[in-house]
Protein backbone atom coordinates (compact mmCIF):
# COMPACT_ATOMS: atom_id res chain seq x y z
CA UNK A 1 0.00 0.00 0.00
CA UNK A 2 1.43 3.39 -0.98
CA UNK A 3 1.93 6.13 1.56
CA UNK A 4 0.16 8.84 -0.48
CA UNK A 5 -3.43 7.51 -0.04
CA UNK A 6 -2.79 7.12 3.69
CA UNK A 7 -1.55 10.69 3.92
CA UNK A 8 -4.61 11.96 2.04
CA UNK A 9 -6.94 10.03 4.36
CA UNK A 10 -5.15 11.47 7.41
CA UNK A 11 -5.56 15.04 6.09
CA UNK A 12 -9.27 14.48 5.44
CA UNK A 13 -9.77 13.21 9.01
CA UNK A 14 -7.92 16.22 10.47
CA UNK A 15 -10.00 18.62 8.35
CA UNK A 16 -13.24 16.99 9.52
CA UNK A 17 -12.05 17.14 13.11
CA UNK A 18 -11.24 20.87 12.89
CA UNK A 19 -14.58 21.61 11.19
CA UNK A 20 -16.49 19.78 13.93
CA UNK A 21 -14.52 21.61 16.62
CA UNK A 22 -15.28 25.03 15.10
CA UNK A 23 -18.96 24.21 14.72
CA UNK A 24 -19.04 23.00 18.30
CA UNK A 25 -17.49 26.26 19.55
CA UNK A 26 -19.87 28.36 17.46
CA UNK A 27 -22.84 26.48 18.84
CA UNK A 28 -21.63 27.14 22.36
CA UNK A 29 -21.32 30.86 21.72
CA UNK A 30 -24.83 31.06 20.31
CA UNK A 31 -26.43 29.51 23.39
CA UNK A 32 -28.45 32.14 25.25
CA UNK A 33 -27.11 33.18 28.67
CA UNK A 34 -29.74 33.23 31.35
CA UNK A 35 -29.64 36.38 33.51
CA UNK A 36 -30.65 36.10 37.12
CA UNK A 37 -32.69 39.17 38.11
CA UNK A 38 -32.65 39.79 41.85
CA UNK A 39 -35.73 41.51 43.25
CA UNK A 40 -34.25 44.15 45.55
CA UNK A 41 -37.52 46.02 46.16
CA UNK A 42 -38.54 44.06 49.31
CA UNK A 43 -35.10 44.70 50.76
CA UNK A 44 -35.34 48.43 50.01
CA UNK A 45 -38.80 48.58 51.62
CA UNK A 46 -37.52 46.81 54.72
CA UNK A 47 -34.51 49.14 55.03
CA UNK A 48 -36.61 52.30 54.68
CA UNK A 49 -39.37 51.07 57.00
CA UNK A 50 -36.81 50.68 59.78
CA UNK A 51 -36.90 54.49 60.03
CA UNK A 52 -40.47 55.27 61.08
CA UNK A 53 -39.48 58.93 60.91
CA UNK A 54 -36.45 60.29 59.11
CA UNK A 55 -35.54 63.71 60.53
CA UNK A 56 -33.65 65.53 57.82
CA UNK A 57 -33.61 69.21 58.78
CA UNK A 58 -33.38 71.31 61.93
CA UNK A 59 -33.68 75.09 62.00
CA UNK A 60 -32.93 77.30 65.00
CA UNK A 61 -34.92 80.54 65.07
CA UNK A 62 -34.33 83.63 67.19
CA UNK A 63 -37.16 86.15 67.26
CA UNK A 64 -37.95 89.25 69.28
CA UNK A 65 -41.65 89.74 70.00
CA UNK A 66 -42.54 93.37 70.64
CA UNK A 67 -45.64 95.01 72.01
CA UNK A 68 -46.36 98.68 72.44
CA UNK A 69 -49.55 100.21 73.79
CA UNK A 70 -50.41 103.71 74.86
CA UNK A 71 -53.34 105.01 76.87
CA UNK A 72 -55.01 107.68 74.77
CA UNK A 73 -57.74 110.15 75.58
CA UNK A 74 -60.24 110.57 72.77
CA UNK A 75 -63.32 112.75 72.51
CA UNK A 76 -64.89 115.98 71.24
CA UNK A 77 -64.34 119.45 72.62
CA UNK A 78 -66.20 122.38 71.20
CA UNK A 79 -67.18 120.34 68.13
CA UNK A 80 -63.56 119.31 67.57
CA UNK A 81 -62.23 115.79 67.92
CA UNK A 82 -59.11 115.16 69.94
CA UNK A 83 -56.86 112.12 70.42
CA UNK A 84 -54.16 112.65 73.02
CA UNK A 85 -51.72 110.20 74.52
CA UNK A 86 -51.67 110.48 78.29
CA UNK A 87 -48.36 111.37 79.93
CA UNK A 88 -46.67 108.42 81.58
CA UNK A 89 -49.19 106.10 79.93
CA UNK A 90 -46.82 104.20 77.64
CA UNK A 91 -46.16 100.52 78.07
CA UNK A 92 -43.65 98.61 75.91
CA UNK A 93 -42.04 95.23 75.95
CA UNK A 94 -39.52 93.28 73.84
CA UNK A 95 -39.41 89.54 74.40
CA UNK A 96 -36.50 87.52 72.95
CA UNK A 97 -37.59 84.04 71.95
CA UNK A 98 -35.70 80.97 70.73
CA UNK A 99 -37.45 78.17 68.84
CA UNK A 100 -36.52 74.97 67.03
CA UNK A 101 -38.20 73.69 63.86
CA UNK A 102 -37.64 70.16 62.58
CA UNK A 103 -38.67 68.55 59.28
CA UNK A 104 -39.11 64.80 58.89
CA UNK A 105 -40.36 62.15 56.46
CA UNK A 106 -43.07 59.85 57.80
CA UNK A 107 -42.52 56.27 56.54
CA UNK A 108 -45.46 54.70 58.41
CA UNK A 109 -47.31 54.00 55.14
CA UNK A 110 -44.30 53.33 52.92
CA UNK A 111 -44.55 50.03 50.98
CA UNK A 112 -43.76 48.47 47.58
CA UNK A 113 -46.32 50.72 45.90
CA UNK A 114 -43.95 53.60 46.61
CA UNK A 115 -41.20 52.09 44.42
CA UNK A 116 -41.10 52.05 40.61
CA UNK A 117 -38.46 50.03 38.76
CA UNK A 118 -37.69 50.17 35.05
CA UNK A 119 -34.74 47.97 34.19
CA UNK A 120 -31.70 49.36 35.96
CA UNK A 121 -33.51 52.56 36.94
CA UNK A 122 -35.47 52.91 40.17
CA UNK A 123 -37.68 55.68 41.55
CA UNK A 124 -38.52 56.05 45.24
CA UNK A 125 -41.73 58.00 45.83
CA UNK A 126 -41.76 59.68 49.25
CA UNK A 127 -44.47 61.60 51.11
CA UNK A 128 -43.90 65.31 51.57
CA UNK A 129 -41.83 66.36 54.60
CA UNK A 130 -43.72 67.34 57.73
CA UNK A 131 -42.63 70.26 59.89
CA UNK A 132 -43.00 70.50 63.65
CA UNK A 133 -42.12 73.25 66.11
CA UNK A 134 -40.37 71.10 68.69
CA UNK A 135 -39.55 73.78 71.26
CA UNK A 136 -39.86 77.46 72.07
CA UNK A 137 -38.45 79.34 75.01
CA UNK A 138 -38.46 82.93 76.24
CA UNK A 139 -35.14 84.31 77.39
CA UNK A 140 -36.42 85.80 80.62
CA UNK A 141 -33.24 87.65 81.62
CA UNK A 142 -33.07 89.58 78.31
CA UNK A 143 -36.68 90.85 78.32
CA UNK A 144 -36.79 94.62 77.90
CA UNK A 145 -39.78 96.30 79.51
CA UNK A 146 -40.91 99.87 79.99
CA UNK A 147 -44.04 100.66 81.99
CA UNK A 148 -45.33 104.19 82.63
CA UNK A 149 -46.16 105.29 86.14
CA UNK A 150 -49.90 105.05 85.59
CA UNK A 151 -49.75 101.62 83.97
CA UNK A 152 -49.62 98.12 85.42
CA UNK A 153 -46.82 95.67 84.61
CA UNK A 154 -47.41 92.95 82.02
CA UNK A 155 -49.19 89.98 83.53
CA UNK A 156 -48.25 86.31 83.13
CA UNK A 157 -51.27 85.73 80.89
CA UNK A 158 -50.20 88.62 78.65
CA UNK A 159 -46.66 87.21 78.45
CA UNK A 160 -48.05 83.79 77.53
CA UNK A 161 -50.19 85.39 74.83
CA UNK A 162 -47.18 87.22 73.36
CA UNK A 163 -45.21 83.97 73.29
CA UNK A 164 -48.05 82.31 71.36
CA UNK A 165 -48.05 85.21 68.91
CA UNK A 166 -44.31 84.70 68.45
CA UNK A 167 -44.80 80.99 67.74
CA UNK A 168 -47.44 81.77 65.10
CA UNK A 169 -45.16 84.37 63.51
CA UNK A 170 -42.36 81.79 63.25
CA UNK A 171 -44.73 79.25 61.67
CA UNK A 172 -45.95 81.83 59.15
CA UNK A 173 -42.33 82.50 58.14
CA UNK A 174 -41.65 78.86 57.22
CA UNK A 175 -41.89 79.53 53.43
CA UNK A 176 -39.04 82.05 53.70
CA UNK A 177 -36.84 79.49 55.51
CA UNK A 178 -36.97 76.98 52.59
CA UNK A 179 -37.14 74.20 55.16
CA UNK A 180 -39.25 71.93 52.92
CA UNK A 181 -36.82 72.09 50.00
CA UNK A 182 -33.86 71.49 52.33
CA UNK A 183 -35.62 68.50 53.90
CA UNK A 184 -36.23 66.96 50.46
CA UNK A 185 -32.60 67.41 49.42
CA UNK A 186 -31.31 65.92 52.68
CA UNK A 187 -33.67 62.94 52.37
CA UNK A 188 -32.19 62.19 48.94
CA UNK A 189 -28.65 62.45 50.36
CA UNK A 190 -29.54 59.83 52.99
CA UNK A 191 -31.47 57.38 50.78
CA UNK A 192 -29.43 57.40 47.55
CA UNK A 193 -26.22 55.95 49.09
CA UNK A 194 -28.27 53.32 50.94
CA UNK A 195 -29.96 52.15 47.72
CA UNK A 196 -26.65 52.31 45.82
CA UNK A 197 -25.25 49.72 48.25
CA UNK A 198 -27.80 47.28 46.83
CA UNK A 199 -26.22 47.41 43.37
CA UNK A 200 -27.83 50.47 41.75
CA UNK A 201 -25.81 53.26 40.22
CA UNK A 202 -26.48 56.61 41.83
CA UNK A 203 -27.37 58.17 38.45
CA UNK A 204 -30.12 55.52 38.06
CA UNK A 205 -31.76 56.39 41.41
CA UNK A 206 -34.50 59.04 41.56
CA UNK A 207 -36.03 60.34 44.80
CA UNK A 208 -39.42 61.92 44.11
CA UNK A 209 -42.15 63.35 46.33
CA UNK A 210 -45.90 62.96 46.17
CA UNK A 211 -46.59 66.68 46.50
CA UNK A 212 -49.86 65.91 48.25
CA UNK A 213 -49.33 68.77 50.72
CA UNK A 214 -48.58 72.39 49.96
CA UNK A 215 -46.64 74.63 52.30
CA UNK A 216 -49.94 76.28 53.26
CA UNK A 217 -51.36 72.87 54.19
CA UNK A 218 -48.36 72.21 56.42
CA UNK A 219 -48.68 75.62 58.11
CA UNK A 220 -52.40 75.09 58.65
CA UNK A 221 -51.73 71.66 60.16
CA UNK A 222 -49.16 73.10 62.58
CA UNK A 223 -51.62 75.77 63.75
CA UNK A 224 -54.40 73.23 64.46
Amino acid sequence: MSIKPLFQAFCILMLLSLTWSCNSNNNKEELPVEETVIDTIPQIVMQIQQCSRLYTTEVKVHKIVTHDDVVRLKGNLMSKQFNISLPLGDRKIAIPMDATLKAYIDFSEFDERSIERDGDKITILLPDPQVVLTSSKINQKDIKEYVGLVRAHFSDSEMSNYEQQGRLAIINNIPQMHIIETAQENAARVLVPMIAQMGYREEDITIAFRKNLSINDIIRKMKD
Side-chain angles (χ1 to χ4, degrees):
M1 186 175 183
S2 67
I3 297 175
K4 187 174 181 180
L6 289 175
F7 180 75
Q8 291 177 344
F10 176 77
C11 291
I12 292 172
L13 288 174
M14 289 295 295
L15 181 61
L16 291 175
S17 176
L18 289 173
T19 303
W20 178 86
S21 177
C22 291
N23 290 336
S24 177
N25 290 334
N26 290 336
N27 290 337
K28 288 182 180 179
E29 292 177 357
E30 292 175 358
L31 289 176
V33 179
E34 293 185 1
E35 295 183 0
T36 303
V37 178
I38 300 175
D39 186 4
T40 56
I41 291 180
Q43 186 179 0
I44 294 173
V45 172
M46 182 182 67
Q47 290 285 342
I48 293 178
Q49 284 180 340
Q50 288 180 356
C51 302
S52 57
R53 282 187 177 183
L54 176 63
Y55 284 90
T56 58
T57 306
E58 179 178 291
V59 177
K60 300 286 187 180
V61 180
H62 180 74
K63 184 174 182 61
I64 297 179
V65 181
T66 60
H67 180 77
D68 184 2
D69 61 36
V70 179
V71 175
R72 307 188 71 85
L73 182 63
K74 299 180 181 180
N76 290 299
L77 180 63
M78 300 179 64
S79 301
K80 293 184 178 181
Q81 294 184 349
F82 61 87
N83 185 347
I84 306 171
S85 60
L86 295 180
L88 306 179
D90 289 356
R91 193 172 69 147
K92 304 176 182 180
I93 193 169
I95 306 171
M97 181 176 175
D98 294 306
T100 301
L101 288 162
K102 290 184 178 182
Y104 66 90
I105 308 292
D106 185 0
F107 289 116
S108 59
E109 297 182 359
F110 187 85
D111 55 25
E112 294 187 6
R113 294 173 297 179
S114 303
I115 300 177
E116 299 176 359
R117 182 175 175 181
D118 183 12
D120 294 333
K121 299 184 182 298
I122 189 167
T123 299
I124 310 296
L125 189 62
L126 300 181
D128 281 340
Q130 302 295 311
V131 181
V132 59
L133 182 63
T134 58
S135 66
S136 64
K137 182 181 179 181
I138 290 178
N139 191 344
Q140 297 287 345
K141 67 178 182 178
D142 290 334
I143 292 177
K144 306 297 182 183
E145 184 179 3
Y146 170 79
V147 179
L149 292 177
V150 298
R151 301 295 303 276
H153 284 274
F154 292 93
S155 65
D156 290 341
S157 61
E158 287 177 313
M159 297 284 288
S160 178
N161 183 51
Y162 299 149
E163 180 181 8
Q164 182 63 26
Q165 291 178 19
R167 290 168 62 94
L168 290 175
I170 291 171
I171 292 173
N172 288 330
N173 285 333
I174 286 178
Q176 285 70 46
M177 301 177 194
H178 303 290
I179 188 171
I180 297 298
E181 295 85 351
T182 303
Q184 292 175 336
E185 292 173 4
N186 290 342
R189 289 192 180 100
V190 171
L191 294 177
V192 168
M194 183 186 73
I195 298 170
Q197 290 179 354
M198 300 179 190
Y200 293 92
R201 297 184 304 173
E202 290 193 1
E203 56 266 31
D204 292 334
I205 303 170
T206 300
I207 305 297
F209 291 85
R210 295 176 184 171
K211 298 181 180 179
N212 56 349
L213 287 177
S214 67
I215 186 66
N216 291 328
D217 293 327
I218 291 174
I219 292 174
R220 191 179 303 112
K221 186 176 181 180
M222 292 179 67
K223 290 179 178 179
D224 292 341

